[in-house]
Amino acid sequence: MRMRKKKWAVPYIAERTDVVVNDPAEYKGRWKEVLKTEEVRLEIGAGKGSYWIGMAKMYPETGWIALEKSPDAAAIGLKKCPEPGPNMKYIVGDAEMIEEWFEPGELSAVHLNFSDPWPKKSHAKRRLTAVKFRQKYWNLLPEEGRVILKTDNIGLYEYSLENMGDLFELVERNDDFRKEPHDEDVITEYEHEFMEKGQPIYRAVWKKKVNQ
Ligand SMILES: C[S@@+](CC[C@H](N)C(=O)[O-])C[C@H]1O[C@@H](n2cnc3c(N)ncnc32)[C@H](O)[C@@H]1O
């Protein structure tokens, strides 16, 4: 996501101690206690925050953690959420670090919404379903844990369908997810744009394979 640099972003994030977790490692192993929920889900690449905000409101019994590496995008998302629910936290950081912040089994689902597709083969390692990342998700999810991907990008979709299978079992696949109403799932900012253009939204859900 390219956007004009916002001078106010970093100071604003620093002010939002109500919801931004500066040192996520401090909560390692304690996220359920901190969010006072039985399960905790992580959205990686939360962008401007609509999914995190909407899902946390729709499912208050679930803990929702947004992770976003761009301070500019994070600050926009946080501005949209002046009164976060007790089930919400925000981490400004890189998905590379998640094993420093969460204990194995601590997350029930990882949501990847419109992740950067990194179309060049030489950049494949950076895709959020690349082996380096999916191995981390596998380590952090419990049995029955899910990875849920939505994308407009057929290249990333096919790559994920082809490669996730080493550690995860595909349990749902929908090649035109928004053809039918899905009120149970919030539409993200990017998703809204692609829907306006009439593009299909691809969605896949994987369950952790056990005995790996
Ligand atoms: C294309 S945007 C999609 C934003 C939002 N999920 C949506 O659907 O509107 C992808 C976002 O993922 C973030 N991102 C990419 N790689 C990341 C990583 N390794 N860790 C955290 N965030 C990442 C980018 O900064 C960007 O904001």
Side-chain angles (χ1 to χ4, degrees):
M1 184 187 291
R2 286 191 197 284
M3 58 175 79
R4 198 186 289 266
K5 208 134 188 58
K6 292 173 179 49
K7 275 196 196 143
W8 56 271
V10 172
Y12 180 71
I13 290 166
E15 269 173 33
R16 292 299 306 272
T17 49
D18 56 329
V19 68
V20 175
V21 180
N22 278 323
D23 179 9
E26 217 178 286
Y27 290 164
K28 190 173 182 176
R30 296 199 296 120
W31 287 99
K32 289 180 194 169
E33 190 190 313
V34 168
L35 295 164
K36 299 185 179 63
T37 56
E38 289 297 313
E39 67 156 319
V40 175
R41 290 175 172 238
L42 176 69
E43 184 195 3
I44 300 182
K48 295 181 185 169
S50 286
Y51 193 76
W52 170 65
I53 296 166
M55 293 297 273
K57 208 170 196 179
M58 202 182 311
Y59 301 101
E61 306 297 313
T62 298
W64 291 90
I65 302 171
L67 169 61
E68 172 52 57
K69 74 174 179 187
S70 153
D72 291 344
I76 293 174
L78 288 162
K79 271 236 154 145
K80 280 194 211 156
C81 187
E83 289 180 17
N87 61 330
M88 300 170 78
K89 289 289 177 200
Y90 206 108
I91 301 172
V92 184
D94 197 307
E96 298 260 2
M97 299 287 292
I98 54 177
E99 284 173 297
E100 309 291 320
W101 304 331
F102 301 98
E103 286 283 9
E106 198 167 18
L107 299 171
S108 64
V110 170
H111 291 262
L112 304 174
N113 289 323
F114 300 85
S115 306
D116 299 323
W118 295 108
K120 286 188 189 163
K121 216 173 173 183
S122 57
H123 290 156
K125 285 196 295 237
R126 301 182 192 176
R127 297 173 192 154
L128 286 177
T129 48
V131 67
K132 177 176 67 175
F133 290 106
R134 62 181 182 268
Q135 184 66 64
K136 293 182 197 292
Y137 310 151
W138 193 93
N139 293 343
L140 298 181
L141 290 166
E143 253 183 61
E144 299 297 317
R146 300 285 201 263
V147 176
I148 303 164
L149 171 86
K150 288 194 287 179
T151 183
D152 62 301
N153 188 281
I154 187 72
L156 179 67
Y157 188 53
E158 286 178 346
Y159 169 86
S160 307
L161 290 171
E162 277 161 30
N163 290 282
M164 288 286 286
D166 54 355
L167 298 171
F168 291 87
E169 178 192 337
L170 184 69
V171 288
E172 275 179 59
R173 171 186 177 158
N174 191 329
D175 295 356
D176 198 354
F177 181 61
R178 294 293 176 190
K179 198 171 162 195
E180 311 292 338
H182 280 286
D183 296 341
E184 79 287 359
D185 185 73
V186 170
I187 296 170
T188 79
E189 284 85 357
Y190 268 64
E191 191 167 10
H192 181 72
E193 283 182 27
F194 295 119
M195 286 167 70
E196 293 269 286
K197 290 184 194 155
Q199 289 181 223
I201 303 301
Y202 307 106
R203 182 174 181 272
V205 181
W206 293 268
K207 175 175 106 164
K208 178 172 164 163
K209 277 186 184 168
V210 282
N211 305 322
Q212 287 290 311

